Amino acid sequence: MNLPDIIQTFERVPADIVAQAAQYQPAILADVAGRRGALHGRITALRPRMKLAGPAFTVEVRPGDNLMIHAAMALAQPGDVLVIDGQSNQTAALMGTIMMTACKQLGLAGVVIDGAVRDSLEIDEMDYPVFSVGTSPNGPTKQVGGRIGHPVSVGGVTVNPGDFIIGDGDGVVVVERGKIEALLPLAAHKVAAEATRIVQIKEGKTSAPWLTASLVAAGVLKEGESL
């Protein structure tokens, strides 16, 4: 079956699930998802304080060309996160102040781009969440077709349209649309467990309770030995 280059309609993570999942750090969700879904560390927040969460609106462009990003902005819904496969190209910025201002005005939750952006100081002043591989003062072309609403590879991870995207100063994590709701109780449990462990550490119980058993299992210590 030949799909059109632009797929306008797809199922998204429901808004209430987005709101619940957005309460957790990307690190927590990555852990309970089996340590899967974290984008390569080359994709970082333009400023460490920036955070975003929402369903992915996927865009595939040719390196250095942003024609399809403009098309995506015309189609994306409020709350969407533009997730752009720019093939890690840093020879030209694919977005800058004008486009980011429009994204903010449209109510988009933010931008994740495996490529470069520019006008970083102005985007910082806007306080609009942008995650990219870096910056470049060079501008893009607007001539080459691409795809919208298809699976893309961003930061070495496959992102499907409608998947859950979350990012903070640690990086960006994607969770499959059909799995995010089931992970919420696990995330809540992990947060509680980590809080309990931190209290224990502050009380002086600094040794990890699982360490000895793991060292024995790894063959570093013999059975009955301890550090």
Side-chain angles (χ1 to χ4, degrees):
M1 178 179 179
N2 292 324
L3 296 174
D5 287 335
I6 297 178
I7 298 175
Q8 299 189 31
T9 303
F10 51 85
E11 191 171 354
R12 292 166 166 81
V13 176
D16 62 323
I17 301 301
V18 169
Q20 293 178 57
Q23 300 177 57
Y24 299 105
Q25 297 177 9
I28 293 291
L29 292 174
D31 279 357
V32 298
R35 291 171 172 77
R36 296 178 61 252
L39 275 55
H40 190 283
R42 66 174 177 264
I43 300 178
T44 59
L46 204 57
R47 296 292 183 268
R49 72 174 186 282
M50 292 180 172
K51 299 179 181 181
L52 58 72
F57 192 96
T58 56
V59 190
E60 177 189 319
V61 303
R62 292 292 296 273
D65 192 283
N66 72 359
L67 175 64
M68 299 309 291
I69 303 176
H70 286 276
M73 290 165 58
L75 296 171
Q77 298 179 7
D80 284 347
V81 176
L82 290 186
V83 180
I84 303 161
D85 176 9
Q87 300 182 37
S88 304
N89 185 275
Q90 291 182 268
T91 63
L94 295 180
M95 301 180 74
T97 303
I98 291 175
M99 294 178 75
M100 297 302 182
T101 301
C103 286
K104 187 174 184 178
Q105 182 67 26
L106 289 165
L108 305 187
V111 173
V112 176
I113 180 168
D114 200 343
V117 299
R118 65 179 181 180
D119 306 325
S120 59
L121 293 179
E122 294 176 351
I123 295 171
D124 182 23
E125 292 173 357
M126 290 168 52
D127 199 24
Y128 188 66
V130 174
F131 292 70
S132 73
V133 299
T135 59
S136 171
N138 198 30
T141 58
K142 297 173 173 60
Q143 301 170 339
V144 186
R147 298 199 302 178
I148 290 173
H150 289 256
V152 294
S153 178
V154 179
V157 177
T158 298
V159 182
N160 290 285
D163 282 350
F164 178 72
I165 301 289
I166 187 166
D168 67 5
D170 288 339
V172 180
V173 169
V174 55
V175 180
E176 293 96 325
R177 175 181 53 80
K179 293 183 178 180
I180 183 62
E181 184 174 5
L183 294 182
L184 297 180
L186 301 178
H189 181 269
K190 184 169 180 61
V191 168
E194 290 191 355
T196 298
R197 181 62 188 133
I198 289 171
V199 170
Q200 293 172 343
I201 291 171
K202 290 181 178 180
E203 292 174 345
K205 302 173 184 176
T206 56
S207 296
W210 48 263
L211 179 58
T212 298
S214 293
L215 290 173
V216 171
V220 179
L221 293 179
K222 295 180 181 179
E223 193 70 44
E225 290 183 334
S226 61
L227 295 177

